[in-house]
Amino acid sequence: VYPVLRQDVEPVASSEPPEVVELRARAEDGDVDAMFDLAERYQSGQDLEQSDEEAARWYRQAAEAGNADAALRLARLYAYGRDVERNEALASRWFSVAAGLGSVSAMNVLAWRYENATGLDRSHGVAAVYYLRALRNGESWMLDNINQIQRETIVEIQRDLRDAGYYVGSLDGVVGPLTSSALRSYAQQ
């Protein structure tokens, strides 16, 4: 017995704007840019009901497909926790993914998280590596805010700069002319 198809039933129309329907279809088909755009719309509530939970789902898919900005946004959702549960370990994991994909903002955040033991075990050496990596990739935050970096991390930065041939001063954690000059030279290479 086969069911009788009713001709008088209209298909249920989506309550989403056509642009969003098309965007969702592209995202579901694996378009990474569409995944990211859909996540942004969920996060901001643009043309969709605001939902950080849905934003996180789409950011995660885009991040897993290699989108650094999506990994950074996902990390921030976990770090600040609105509709998603705040989770420092997951935030650090996604900041690490974003940094690995080239996000200099994520590199700076990871440096701070290692330095301050936020979601990660404290490591001034690893913090120094991330600060210098961000600096080398064009992020000048460290140069402008060097006085906010802990002395122990400055020692590790001086050590790394010395090992790379940029610094000849003592490993004292003091940002004097030699350290400043070494940082500027390192940033320009």
Side-chain angles (χ1 to χ4, degrees):
V1 175
Y2 295 99
V4 177
L5 298 177
R6 293 185 53 190
Q7 304 276 330
D8 61 335
V9 176
E10 294 286 323
V12 176
S14 171
S15 61
E16 296 177 342
E19 177 183 324
V20 174
V21 171
E22 187 269 331
L23 182 64
R24 181 181 305 285
R26 288 185 14 242
E28 290 171 351
D29 285 342
D31 181 325
V32 178
D33 291 333
M35 291 174 195
F36 183 80
D37 291 346
L38 190 59
E40 280 189 312
R41 286 175 185 248
Y42 271 116
Q43 190 174 12
S44 69
Q46 178 188 349
D47 298 326
L48 292 165
E49 185 175 332
Q50 195 283 330
S51 170
D52 282 351
E53 188 174 310
E54 277 299 302
R57 183 169 80 86
W58 287 106
Y59 282 140
R60 183 178 299 108
Q61 288 186 38
E64 289 171 348
N67 185 303
D69 290 331
L72 181 61
R73 297 273 181 94
L74 182 58
R76 287 180 177 152
L77 283 176
Y78 284 122
Y80 304 121
R82 240 176 36 189
D83 287 347
V84 296
E85 185 176 334
R86 185 174 182 181
N87 185 320
E88 293 297 346
L90 278 176
S92 292
R93 176 182 181 270
W94 287 107
F95 280 124
S96 182
V97 169
L101 292 170
S103 169
V104 293
S105 293
M107 292 173 199
N108 264 342
V109 171
L110 269 177
W112 183 89
R113 290 171 90 69
Y114 273 108
E115 187 175 33
N116 293 284
T118 304
L120 298 162
D121 291 336
R122 183 179 318 276
S123 174
H124 295 288
V126 175
V129 168
Y130 277 112
Y131 279 132
L132 289 172
R133 202 176 282 173
L135 182 63
R136 177 59 64 85
N137 283 285
E139 176 61 68
S140 65
W141 180 92
M142 186 175 73
L143 294 177
D144 300 333
N145 298 281
I146 196 80
N147 60 337
Q148 295 180 29
I149 298 174
Q150 295 173 18
R151 187 177 190 125
E152 297 90 341
T153 302
I154 297 295
V155 168
E156 296 302 324
I157 289 169
Q158 289 170 330
R159 183 184 327 278
D160 290 347
L161 290 170
R162 182 197 62 198
D163 293 349
Y166 290 92
Y167 181 68
V168 294
S170 62
L171 305 180
D172 57 7
V174 175
V175 182
L178 289 176
T179 302
S180 295
S181 176
L183 286 168
R184 282 192 300 279
S185 294
Y186 184 81
Q188 295 171 357
Q189 296 301 315

Short mmCIF file of all heavy atoms in Angstrom, two decimals, residues 132 136 157-169 178 181-183 185-186 189:
data_model
loop_
_atom_site.label_atom_id
_atom_site.label_comp_id
_atom_site.label_asym_id
_atom_site.label_seq_id
_atom_site.Cartn_x
_atom_site.Cartn_y
_atom_site.Cartn_z
N LEU A 132 56.74 36.57 21.28
CA LEU A 132 57.69 36.82 20.19
C LEU A 132 57.13 36.39 18.84
O LEU A 132 57.35 37.05 17.83
CB LEU A 132 59.03 36.14 20.48
CG LEU A 132 59.84 36.78 21.61
CD1 LEU A 132 61.05 35.92 21.95
CD2 LEU A 132 60.27 38.20 21.24
N ARG A 136 56.73 38.88 15.75
CA ARG A 136 57.34 38.56 14.44
C ARG A 136 56.30 38.59 13.33
O ARG A 136 56.60 38.88 12.18
CB ARG A 136 58.02 37.20 14.53
CG ARG A 136 58.65 36.65 13.27
CD ARG A 136 59.72 37.50 12.62
NE ARG A 136 60.94 37.73 13.32
CZ ARG A 136 62.00 36.95 13.34
NH1 ARG A 136 62.00 35.80 12.75
NH2 ARG A 136 63.08 37.31 13.98
N ILE A 157 61.99 36.17 27.39
CA ILE A 157 62.05 36.88 26.11
C ILE A 157 63.49 37.28 25.83
O ILE A 157 64.00 37.10 24.71
CB ILE A 157 61.10 38.11 26.13
CG1 ILE A 157 59.64 37.65 26.08
CG2 ILE A 157 61.42 39.06 24.98
CD1 ILE A 157 58.62 38.75 26.34
N GLN A 158 64.17 37.82 26.84
CA GLN A 158 65.58 38.19 26.67
C GLN A 158 66.42 36.96 26.30
O GLN A 158 67.27 37.03 25.42
CB GLN A 158 66.12 38.83 27.95
CG GLN A 158 65.56 40.21 28.22
CD GLN A 158 65.92 40.74 29.60
OE1 GLN A 158 66.09 39.98 30.56
NE2 GLN A 158 66.01 42.07 29.71
N ARG A 159 66.15 35.83 26.94
CA ARG A 159 66.89 34.60 26.65
C ARG A 159 66.66 34.17 25.19
O ARG A 159 67.60 33.85 24.47
CB ARG A 159 66.45 33.48 27.61
CG ARG A 159 67.22 32.17 27.43
CD ARG A 159 66.71 31.03 28.33
NE ARG A 159 66.20 31.42 29.63
CZ ARG A 159 66.93 31.68 30.71
NH1 ARG A 159 68.25 31.59 30.64
NH2 ARG A 159 66.37 32.03 31.85
N ASP A 160 65.40 34.20 24.75
CA ASP A 160 65.10 33.80 23.37
C ASP A 160 65.73 34.76 22.37
O ASP A 160 66.24 34.34 21.32
CB ASP A 160 63.58 33.72 23.16
CG ASP A 160 62.93 32.56 23.91
OD1 ASP A 160 63.67 31.66 24.38
OD2 ASP A 160 61.69 32.55 24.02
N LEU A 161 65.69 36.06 22.68
CA LEU A 161 66.31 37.05 21.80
C LEU A 161 67.83 36.87 21.76
O LEU A 161 68.46 36.99 20.70
CB LEU A 161 65.95 38.47 22.24
CG LEU A 161 64.50 38.89 22.03
CD1 LEU A 161 64.21 40.22 22.73
CD2 LEU A 161 64.16 38.98 20.54
N ARG A 162 68.43 36.57 22.90
CA ARG A 162 69.87 36.31 22.95
C ARG A 162 70.21 35.08 22.11
O ARG A 162 71.14 35.10 21.30
CB ARG A 162 70.32 36.10 24.39
CG ARG A 162 71.84 35.87 24.51
CD ARG A 162 72.27 35.28 25.80
NE ARG A 162 71.67 33.95 25.94
CZ ARG A 162 71.56 33.31 27.08
NH1 ARG A 162 71.98 33.84 28.20
NH2 ARG A 162 71.01 32.12 27.13
N ASP A 163 69.44 34.01 22.29
CA ASP A 163 69.70 32.76 21.55
C ASP A 163 69.54 32.96 20.05
O ASP A 163 70.19 32.27 19.26
CB ASP A 163 68.77 31.65 22.04
CG ASP A 163 69.07 31.22 23.47
OD1 ASP A 163 70.13 31.63 24.03
OD2 ASP A 163 68.25 30.46 24.03
N ALA A 164 68.69 33.91 19.66
CA ALA A 164 68.49 34.19 18.23
C ALA A 164 69.46 35.24 17.71
O ALA A 164 69.42 35.59 16.53
CB ALA A 164 67.04 34.66 18.01
N GLY A 165 70.35 35.76 18.57
CA GLY A 165 71.36 36.71 18.14
C GLY A 165 70.93 38.17 18.13
O GLY A 165 71.61 39.01 17.54
N TYR A 166 69.84 38.50 18.82
CA TYR A 166 69.35 39.88 18.83
C TYR A 166 69.69 40.64 20.10
O TYR A 166 69.60 41.86 20.13
CB TYR A 166 67.82 39.90 18.65
CG TYR A 166 67.37 39.48 17.28
CD1 TYR A 166 67.06 38.16 17.01
CD2 TYR A 166 67.27 40.42 16.25
CE1 TYR A 166 66.65 37.78 15.74
CE2 TYR A 166 66.86 40.05 14.99
CZ TYR A 166 66.55 38.73 14.74
OH TYR A 166 66.16 38.34 13.49
N TYR A 167 70.04 39.95 21.16
CA TYR A 167 70.20 40.59 22.47
C TYR A 167 71.54 40.20 23.08
O TYR A 167 71.91 39.02 23.05
CB TYR A 167 69.05 40.15 23.38
CG TYR A 167 69.06 40.75 24.76
CD1 TYR A 167 68.84 42.11 24.97
CD2 TYR A 167 69.30 39.94 25.88
CE1 TYR A 167 68.84 42.64 26.25
CE2 TYR A 167 69.30 40.47 27.16
CZ TYR A 167 69.07 41.83 27.34
OH TYR A 167 69.07 42.36 28.60
N VAL A 168 72.24 41.20 23.63
CA VAL A 168 73.55 40.92 24.23
C VAL A 168 73.62 41.32 25.71
O VAL A 168 74.66 41.15 26.33
CB VAL A 168 74.68 41.65 23.45
CG1 VAL A 168 74.81 41.09 22.05
CG2 VAL A 168 74.44 43.15 23.42
N GLY A 169 72.51 41.80 26.26
CA GLY A 169 72.51 42.24 27.66
C GLY A 169 72.31 41.09 28.63
O GLY A 169 72.26 39.92 28.25
N LEU A 178 68.76 48.05 25.57
CA LEU A 178 69.20 46.85 24.84
C LEU A 178 68.02 45.92 24.53
O LEU A 178 67.91 45.40 23.42
CB LEU A 178 70.27 46.09 25.63
CG LEU A 178 71.63 46.74 25.73
CD1 LEU A 178 72.56 45.92 26.63
CD2 LEU A 178 72.25 46.93 24.35
N SER A 181 65.74 47.67 21.89
CA SER A 181 66.36 47.61 20.57
C SER A 181 66.27 46.20 19.98
O SER A 181 65.98 46.03 18.79
CB SER A 181 67.82 48.05 20.68
OG SER A 181 68.47 47.92 19.43
N ALA A 182 66.51 45.20 20.81
CA ALA A 182 66.44 43.81 20.34
C ALA A 182 65.02 43.47 19.89
O ALA A 182 64.84 42.82 18.85
CB ALA A 182 66.90 42.86 21.45
N LEU A 183 64.05 43.91 20.64
CA LEU A 183 62.65 43.64 20.26
C LEU A 183 62.28 44.31 18.93
O LEU A 183 61.66 43.70 18.06
CB LEU A 183 61.69 44.12 21.36
CG LEU A 183 61.65 43.26 22.61
CD1 LEU A 183 60.91 43.98 23.74
CD2 LEU A 183 61.01 41.90 22.33
N SER A 185 64.35 45.17 16.51
CA SER A 185 65.07 44.47 15.44
C SER A 185 64.40 43.14 15.11
O SER A 185 64.24 42.78 13.94
CB SER A 185 66.54 44.21 15.85
OG SER A 185 67.23 45.42 15.98
N TYR A 186 64.01 42.42 16.15
CA TYR A 186 63.35 41.13 15.95
C TYR A 186 62.03 41.31 15.19
O TYR A 186 61.71 40.53 14.30
CB TYR A 186 63.09 40.48 17.31
CG TYR A 186 62.51 39.11 17.22
CD1 TYR A 186 63.32 37.99 16.99
CD2 TYR A 186 61.14 38.89 17.38
CE1 TYR A 186 62.79 36.72 16.90
CE2 TYR A 186 60.60 37.62 17.30
CZ TYR A 186 61.42 36.54 17.06
OH TYR A 186 60.90 35.28 16.97
N GLN A 189 62.40 41.73 11.30
CA GLN A 189 62.95 40.63 10.48
C GLN A 189 61.90 39.78 9.85
O GLN A 189 60.90 39.49 10.28
CB GLN A 189 63.88 39.76 11.33
CG GLN A 189 65.08 40.52 11.82
CD GLN A 189 65.94 41.09 10.70
OE1 GLN A 189 66.24 40.42 9.73
NE2 GLN A 189 66.34 42.33 10.82
#
